Amino acid sequence: MRPASAGAAALADGAQSQIKVLRAESQAPRSRARFPAVVGEPLPLNQILIGDCIEELARLPAASVDLVFADPPYNLQLESTLSRPDQSIVDAVDDDWDKFASFSHYDAFTRSWLEAVRRVMKPDATIFVIGSYHNIFRVGSLLQDQGYWILNDIVWRKTNPMPNFRGRRFTNAHETLIWAAKGAGAKNYRFNYELLKAGNEDCQLRSDWLFPICTGHERLKDESGHKTHPTQKPEALLARILLAATNAGDVVLDPFFGSGTTGAAAKRLGRHFVGIEREEIYAAAARKRIAAVEPLPHEAIAATPSKRSEPRVAFSAIVEAGLIAPGAELTDEKQRHRAIVRADGTVAIGAVVGSIHKIGALTQGLPACNGWTFWHYVSQSGKREPIDLLRTVARKNLREAEA
């Protein structure tokens, strides 16, 4: 027999060797080397690719998708059957695809698919990853390690979460989405701010979203009435993501396609999708589901013009175009402050002269002011309107002149 100290040393050496192997496995970009992308291969739009997501991702052309939605395995680590107080069995996630030998194996898998996804994202593409407390913190750390730039974390609050039957924890009533750009230098990523704000009673959309879990007629079921997929997401959740971060005609990639919620929402909203799914039974259900979707009419999904993308128009151009005359009086909405329009495009209150923004800020004692929305004029109909309407007219005239 070896001395105890020798045995301990051998065990330590063995542990160190195992750690090195795990590290090497998690860091080696094997999928890219073994499964190179075919040069010139077109993007398989509106198709579900069957196979391992990392292998299939490596076959896609680089810099080819506008958005990624990823609903990866959560690694729930369920060790026993869950039961309700009446001893009925909870239909929980216990499929093999959600089982990993260790956190190290899960991290290696996550690192690999994030690397593969990043390669196929366009420079200004973004990614949404959804998860629970079991995995989302590990995913977030690995996202940052690989150079992704986190834009928001979004909380999906469930209106009808599954209760905690054992009464030993808080009810898990939410999941977390991480929204990230491909890198810190991605400044022109798509975010339909005005569209989301207009649909939210003209208030900025918050990062806590309230949706029910997928139930009722939307939940896919097999012939025996059981759930087709245990973690099917509500289509309303995907619709908001697509409306927020894509335009009609954009390409959305879902490397964990499952029951096809991403594809159904994409077809309905006039987007293209590329899905990857390893289980043919899920893919078959997704194909049937997507085939039954009716796309919305163009006028229901047309992009809302972004003010940031509109050409800049100075207030002096409004005066020069004759849309408002020098000497006209401007007031705030409640007519507490008054200013006179000057021929050079500035405005004046007594002897104080400046831009519409500067004078608007001075009258309120504020450091800044959006003069376009603060100042109002009397339109031809006799109604008091914000001068921003005149800027809209000027931009329309510019577009017509350039056509």
Side-chain angles (χ1 to χ4, degrees):
M1 289 180 67
R2 286 193 234 175
S5 59
L11 285 172
D13 290 343
Q16 289 298 322
S17 298
Q18 187 176 13
I19 290 171
K20 289 179 180 178
V21 169
L22 284 171
R23 237 177 235 159
E25 287 179 351
S26 66
Q27 293 174 357
R30 297 188 306 272
S31 59
R32 192 181 300 177
R34 286 164 47 206
F35 306 98
V38 179
V39 177
E41 187 77 8
L43 197 61
L45 295 179
N46 306 318
Q47 295 182 37
I48 306 173
L49 309 178
I50 305 300
D52 176 82
C53 71
I54 299 169
E55 296 174 8
E56 296 301 325
L57 283 166
R59 295 189 176 102
L60 298 179
S64 57
V65 304
D66 301 287
L67 180 73
V68 178
F69 172 78
D71 184 8
Y74 286 11
N75 193 24
L76 297 178
Q77 309 126 39
L78 294 180
E79 297 178 355
S80 60
T81 301
L82 296 179
S83 59
R84 299 181 178 88
D86 62 2
Q87 302 307 307
S88 60
I89 302 301
V90 176
D91 187 11
V93 181
D94 56 3
D95 304 73
D96 288 340
W97 50 259
D98 193 59
K99 296 176 182 177
F100 293 83
S102 66
F103 285 130
S104 296
H105 283 81
Y106 184 78
D107 291 350
F109 166 71
T110 302
R111 191 177 291 109
S112 295
W113 74 256
L114 283 173
E115 179 186 11
V117 159
R118 195 162 185 261
R119 185 186 68 83
V120 302
M121 292 170 65
K122 293 179 181 178
D124 293 319
T126 59
I127 179 173
F128 284 84
V129 186
I130 189 170
S132 67
Y133 68 88
H134 303 86
N135 71 321
I136 198 64
F137 303 108
R138 309 186 78 87
V139 173
S141 177
L142 292 169
L143 273 165
Q144 292 179 315
D145 287 346
Q146 295 202 15
Y148 288 92
W149 188 257
I150 295 179
L151 301 169
N152 275 116
D153 68 318
I154 298 161
V155 174
W156 166 30
R157 294 171 51 219
K158 302 174 182 180
T159 59
N160 51 344
M162 181 185 296
N164 185 270
F165 295 111
R166 294 176 180 173
R168 301 284 293 174
R169 303 183 185 183
F170 297 109
T171 297
N172 294 323
H174 77 278
E175 292 182 31
T176 301
L177 296 101
I178 296 175
W179 181 38
K182 189 173 181 179
K187 304 299 183 185
N188 296 317
Y189 57 86
R190 167 61 55 186
F191 180 51
N192 295 317
Y193 171 81
E194 285 87 1
L195 180 149
L196 296 172
K197 184 177 179 181
N200 192 46
E201 303 295 326
D202 287 324
C203 295
Q204 291 185 5
L205 191 63
R206 293 160 49 108
S207 61
D208 53 337
W209 298 355
L210 187 65
F211 291 108
I213 62 174
C214 190
T215 56
H217 69 279
E218 187 182 345
R219 168 67 76 172
L220 300 188
K221 295 184 178 179
D222 59 23
E223 295 178 355
S224 60
H226 295 108
K227 298 175 184 176
T228 300
H229 194 287
T231 63
Q232 181 179 339
K233 297 299 183 290
E235 190 174 326
L237 178 69
L238 269 297
R240 177 171 291 182
I241 290 170
L242 298 188
L243 291 171
T246 64
N247 284 336
D250 282 354
V251 179
V252 184
L253 167 68
D254 186 337
F256 307 98
F257 203 64
S259 58
T261 304
T262 300
K267 183 178 178 182
R268 196 179 308 279
L269 296 173
R271 277 70 168 164
H272 298 292
F273 70 86
V274 176
I276 302 174
E277 176 52 51
R278 57 181 267 183
E279 306 291 343
E280 174 57 41
I281 188 171
Y282 296 154
R287 290 191 199 98
K288 182 177 179 181
R289 175 188 185 183
I290 294 168
V293 171
E294 289 292 333
L296 292 172
H298 172 74
E299 56 271 21
I301 58 174
T304 302
S306 169
K307 290 184 178 180
R308 293 182 181 180
S309 64
E310 293 277 13
R312 293 182 64 86
V313 175
F315 188 63
S316 59
I318 304 295
V319 178
E320 292 164 356
L323 296 175
I324 192 167
E329 184 181 73
L330 302 180
T331 69
D332 65 303
E333 186 177 15
K334 295 183 178 180
Q335 301 185 53
R336 293 173 298 186
H337 307 289
R338 301 178 185 276
I340 300 299
V341 175
R342 289 165 46 92
D344 57 4
T346 59
V347 296
I349 296 180
V352 182
V353 177
S355 70
I356 55 174
H357 312 297
K358 179 181 178 180
I359 299 301
L362 285 173
T363 60
Q364 301 174 84
L366 298 175
C369 169
N370 182 349
W372 292 107
T373 56
F374 177 74
W375 292 114
H376 289 60
Y377 75 108
V378 178
S379 66
Q380 291 181 349
S381 64
K383 189 176 179 181
R384 195 165 294 277
E385 306 276 9
I387 58 174
D388 199 26
L389 291 181
L390 298 175
R391 185 168 59 165
T392 301
V393 173
R395 283 171 171 162
K396 180 175 179 291
N397 293 341
L398 279 174
R399 286 192 293 268
E400 291 175 351
E402 292 172 354

